[in-house]
Amino acid sequence: MDYSHVRATDPAVADAIADETDRQRETLSMIASENHASKAVVEAQGSVLTNKYAEGYPGERYYAGCEFADVVEDLAVERARDLWGAEHVNVQPHSGSQANMAVYFAVLDPGDRILSLELEHGGHLSHGHPANFAGQLFDVEHYRVDPETGYLDYEGLAATADEFDPDAIVSGFSAYPRRVDWERIDAVADAVDAYHVADIAHITGLVAAGVHPSPVGVADFVTGSTHKTIRAGRGGIVMCGEEHADAVDNAVFPGVQGGPLMHNVAGKAVGFREALDPSFTEYAEGVVENARTLAETLADHGLSVVSGGTDTHIVLVDLRDSHPDLSGGDAEAALERTGIVLNGNTVPGETRSPFDPSGIRAGTAALTTRGFDANDMETVGDLIARVLDAPEDAAVRDEVSEAVDELCAAHPLYE
Ligand SMILES: *Cc1c(COP(=O)(O)O)cnc(C)c1O
């Protein structure tokens, strides 16, 4: 990619972009929410569509000159419908959080009750954390995973729903490695007459490829991010049945946003087109296979994998049994020094703090994009275990760094 114009105008920013490109090339991106968008997606996101105001929706804009913005948004919507099979799609949310905000505003009033998974058990800030708008505007209660098994506690969810009488139940998670039984959660929502909002931010790509069951047609609303496993332009998406189409569209604009980021909508359209190619199914299958291999490898090294494995791109490790003196934050820092980039994460039954939790979370979406296969993942798992066993050992750090360099060189990025 050529940033010659940025370089001519602003060398400081050009340097940072070049450094970031090198960082992505020379490290293993294992942050579960990240991926490497294609050059085509990046190009579309960097296009002159950024200049266009297109408040409204295709065919009904508040400004003149929207004919090509309409083309782009119609393509994004059409392709999203093909990918996920939703009746109605809104591709304008600036982010996944904004998509959730729009759905809440479409059907809830301030003070209404939301039941969602606790953040420390794998939920998301936008599901009602006190530091987030959702926690400040709504009355929020949480369900949990079973701390013994790491699986969702569906019975506890039903019991809490009975007691709390929520107006909406939010499913879909940030750090839950297992398949979600959407029907079971939907039955609970029906029983207490609550809306069911399924937030598939992390697993959009896995759902589109059919390697994870889909909540579309089950939940009342499906929200998501478009830059995680689906690997399209950055932003959010809302899907729903026709009966909620107007409420959702009005909630996105003018409810919670102004003009859409049309360059990002273009990035979504291009990424969705890529995901409609049969090769994307292979990619998504590879993502899950790689995560399973990583989980098995880490378990073979004596690490405690939450829920005993994974059905998705996420591997969550609880360090308390194997490395009681190593926090998730320290593990993250030690791994980063070797070029393995992932994050410290809370685990079910957390006993440290969210700022320095007891676990680490790894994802395989970005490495699979680079062509990593199961053999490579075994190598990566071995390297992670070596670092965790000797986080302060300079010789281990140097050897692992060298192995990371070799893996990166074997899987070039943005050449
Ligand atoms: C990533 C994520 C979001 C949205 O995040 P943004 O950064 O706002 O795009 C929403 N819900 C869940 C469960 C997520 O993991």
Side-chain angles (χ1 to χ4, degrees):
M1 289 171 284
D2 172 22
Y3 297 99
S4 55
H5 296 90
V6 184
R7 179 146 303 283
T9 306
D10 189 337
V13 169
D15 283 346
I17 293 172
D19 289 345
E20 172 61 13
T21 308
D22 287 343
R23 189 194 66 80
Q24 292 186 23
R25 283 181 180 138
E26 292 161 12
T27 60
L28 304 183
S29 168
M30 301 189 75
I31 296 196
S33 46
E34 293 184 4
N35 209 329
H36 299 295
S38 71
K39 286 183 184 176
V41 166
V42 173
E43 226 172 59
Q45 282 195 147
S47 70
V48 295
L49 281 159
T50 189
N51 297 332
K52 189 66 198 110
Y53 249 105
E55 284 180 351
Y57 292 98
E60 324 163 48
R61 306 282 190 184
Y62 288 83
Y63 292 101
C66 287
E67 56 190 303
F68 304 113
D70 284 3
V71 170
V72 166
E73 186 165 345
D74 280 335
L75 284 169
V77 167
E78 228 172 79
R79 290 167 184 171
R81 274 212 204 97
D82 284 352
L83 282 169
W84 290 286
E87 278 178 21
H88 182 72
V89 179
N90 187 308
V91 294
Q92 292 192 6
H94 301 335
S95 74
S97 296
Q98 218 82 63
N100 287 336
M101 191 181 216
V103 169
Y104 301 153
F105 284 10
V107 290
L108 301 179
D109 294 314
D112 277 359
R113 290 182 297 278
I114 293 179
L115 176 60
S116 63
L117 185 69
E118 185 159 306
L119 185 67
E120 285 182 1
H121 284 222
H124 190 259
L125 289 165
S126 63
H127 297 179
H129 190 274
N132 184 267
F133 77 90
Q136 289 160 18
L137 288 177
F138 301 105
D139 180 7
V140 180
E141 183 59 70
H142 293 302
Y143 56 94
R144 298 180 175 80
V145 303
D146 179 335
E148 294 301 311
T149 63
Y151 279 74
L152 275 176
D153 177 5
Y154 291 97
E155 278 167 27
L157 161 60
T160 310
D162 260 345
E163 219 166 278
F164 183 59
D165 190 23
D167 299 291
I169 296 179
V170 181
S171 63
F173 317 108
S174 288
Y176 185 67
R178 290 301 184 174
R179 205 162 281 166
V180 183
D181 188 343
W182 309 113
E183 275 85 2
R184 194 159 172 192
I185 298 174
D186 202 63
V188 174
D190 278 350
V192 299
D193 200 19
Y195 291 107
H196 179 191
V197 184
D199 176 357
I200 60 169
H202 262 267
I203 55 172
T204 42
L206 308 184
V207 169
V211 304
H212 187 292
S214 174
V216 174
V218 178
D220 299 294
F221 302 92
V222 176
T223 59
S225 303
T226 49
H227 48 275
K228 296 183 183 176
T229 51
I230 192 68
R231 211 169 53 184
R234 195 171 190 95
I237 188 168
V238 179
M239 298 179 262
C240 62
E242 274 309 329
E243 71 274 25
H244 297 302
D246 287 346
V248 162
D249 288 352
N250 290 328
V252 173
F253 171 83
V256 304
Q257 294 186 173
L261 311 178
M262 284 313 302
H263 52 305
N264 282 26
V265 174
K268 292 175 192 179
V270 173
F272 294 167
R273 187 191 157 102
E274 291 172 351
L276 282 165
D277 190 272
S279 63
F280 189 81
T281 305
E282 266 167 60
Y283 163 69
E285 288 166 354
V287 167
V288 176
E289 194 199 340
N290 281 344
R292 290 211 165 109
T293 303
L294 178 65
E296 279 162 24
T297 308
L298 295 174
D300 286 347
H301 283 285
L303 288 153
S304 172
V305 175
V306 174
S307 85
T310 182
D311 303 319
T312 65
H313 60 301
I314 291 174
V315 179
L316 188 61
V317 175
D318 186 338
L319 294 167
R320 288 175 297 187
D321 289 338
S322 58
H323 300 77
D325 299 327
L326 184 65
S327 73
D330 290 342
E332 172 187 310
L335 287 162
E336 188 178 10
R337 288 193 290 270
T338 68
I340 298 173
V341 184
L342 47 65
N343 64 291
N345 211 92
T346 54
V347 291
E350 183 57 62
T351 43
R352 288 181 188 260
S353 87
F355 303 103
D356 195 14
S358 303
I360 50 172
R361 182 187 68 159
T364 54
L367 292 188
T368 308
T369 292
R370 287 184 84 158
F372 280 59
D373 64 13
N375 279 334
D376 299 319
M377 288 317 298
E378 230 180 285
T379 308
V380 171
D382 291 341
L383 296 174
I384 291 174
R386 280 189 73 185
V387 175
L388 296 180
D389 286 343
E392 303 296 339
D393 188 319
V396 169
R397 184 196 316 163
D398 292 345
E399 281 170 37
V400 172
S401 297
E402 212 168 287
V404 167
D405 289 347
E406 280 168 24
L407 282 166
C408 290
H411 300 91
L413 182 67
Y414 300 130
E415 288 292 288

